[in-house]
Amino acid sequence: MTGLRVVPTRRHGRERLYVCLPDGGNVAWYDRETARVNLLREDREGDVLEALGPFLTGPVTVGPPPVPTPAELARLTLHPDDDLAPNRPGEALLVALEREPGPAHRLRPDPRRRALAAEQTVGTALDRLDGAGWRTLHSVPLPGGDRLHHLLIGPGGLFAVHTLPARRQRVRIDGPLVAPGRREPLPLLRRVRADADRASHALTAEVHAVLVLVEPAQVSVEQPPRSVRVLTDGDLPGLARLGGTLKPADVEALHAMARDRGTWAHV
């Protein structure tokens, strides 16, 4: 027995296996795409290869990581439980539905499932921006039970993205008020702005507030909202054209900070 455990992760279609000590610290990781075992502790090479044995399907290269950046080093020091990067779109809703699925038969669909589908739609669209130098975190927990649905970091800056399911509904926006369908208007944009402000405080950088309406039939704006960008899910690919704000190194450094659960503990 090596005392090591293997923790698989998958992000943006890339699979890695982290080899961890009992206290959660990383000693190595295996990148399937490059067939390379990257060692952080050369004295544990034998133990690492033994732990990875069931997962290796062919010859691999073994050695120290190839010139890690400060952002990569910060990420590798994270305990797996504190790393938010593996969160799936709608992670909090997925967990809630697993714990309390609700009755099998009900007159109306569970609204959590509509919200989940909307977050998954937006999350998938944001993840596709990865090739243009953007990084996305999903379901970022905030104190008090709140959360950021998505945090987008890239050349165009930082964006706290809130998702609203609006399939086949007309959405009316009047200042801070948002009314999907026939529902009463709610000051949703105040919450979206407040969440972005909390993210700005946590990351010590300007975070822009974004509300994304998913599959609305029509959007009418009676009074333009202040300091909140309102988009539909079809508009998201256009974010890739934004630039001139952050350099690639800044994007990676902010992503490394944001993925640490501790960053959000006191906002």
Side-chain angles (χ1 to χ4, degrees), residues 233-265:
D233 55 300
D235 297 326
L236 294 176
L239 292 175
R241 295 192 292 269
L242 299 178
T245 300
L246 296 177
K247 298 178 180 179
D250 297 328
V251 172
E252 297 301 332
L254 285 164
H255 181 248
M257 180 188 300
R259 68 189 294 175
D260 183 353
R261 187 182 299 272
T263 299
W264 308 95

Side-chain angles (χ1 to χ4, degrees), residues 86-164:
N87 279 8
R88 299 160 293 179
E91 182 76 30
L93 290 170
L94 284 165
V95 172
L97 286 166
E98 288 173 2
R99 291 176 177 172
E100 297 182 16
H105 302 285
R106 51 189 302 163
L107 296 177
R108 295 183 178 180
D110 191 328
R112 296 177 298 174
R113 297 194 180 277
R114 292 181 64 246
L116 173 60
E119 288 191 40
Q120 290 173 330
T121 296
V122 171
T124 298
L126 295 178
D127 283 342
R128 289 183 181 138
L129 302 180
D130 183 67
W134 294 78
R135 300 290 179 264
T136 308
L137 295 170
H138 305 290
S139 207
V140 177
L142 301 175
D146 296 328
R147 64 188 175 93
L148 302 179
H149 291 179
H150 316 276
L151 179 68
L152 180 65
I153 306 171
L158 297 92
F159 300 87
V161 179
H162 189 94
T163 300
L164 181 67

Side-chain angles (χ1 to χ4, degrees), residues 55-222:
F55 305 95
L56 303 180
T57 57
V60 298
T61 303
V62 181
V67 193
T69 65
E72 288 173 328
L73 288 174
R75 170 177 52 77
L76 290 170
T77 61
L78 283 179
H79 188 286
D81 292 342
D82 293 328
D83 189 355
L84 301 176
N87 279 8
R88 299 160 293 179
E91 182 76 30
L93 290 170
L94 284 165
V95 172
L97 286 166
E98 288 173 2
R99 291 176 177 172
E100 297 182 16
H105 302 285
R106 51 189 302 163
L107 296 177
R108 295 183 178 180
D110 191 328
R112 296 177 298 174
R113 297 194 180 277
R114 292 181 64 246
L116 173 60
E119 288 191 40
Q120 290 173 330
T121 296
V122 171
T124 298
L126 295 178
D127 283 342
R128 289 183 181 138
L129 302 180
D130 183 67
W134 294 78
R135 300 290 179 264
T136 308
L137 295 170
H138 305 290
S139 207
V140 177
L142 301 175
D146 296 328
R147 64 188 175 93
L148 302 179
H149 291 179
H150 316 276
L151 179 68
L152 180 65
I153 306 171
L158 297 92
F159 300 87
V161 179
H162 189 94
T163 300
L164 181 67
R167 181 175 174 80
R168 298 178 181 175
Q169 293 180 325
R170 177 184 175 186
V171 180
R172 292 172 291 120
I173 297 174
D174 186 1
L177 301 177
V178 179
R182 298 181 180 180
R183 284 180 275 177
E184 288 294 319
L186 295 174
L188 178 60
L189 296 187
R190 290 177 183 167
R191 175 191 168 182
V192 177
R193 178 67 261 173
D195 287 346
D197 288 343
R198 294 173 76 178
S200 296
H201 178 74
L203 300 172
T204 62
E206 183 180 10
V207 178
H208 304 282
V210 178
L211 174 67
V212 178
L213 308 172
V214 179
E215 299 182 337
Q218 181 183 352
V219 180
S220 62
V221 180
E222 298 179 16

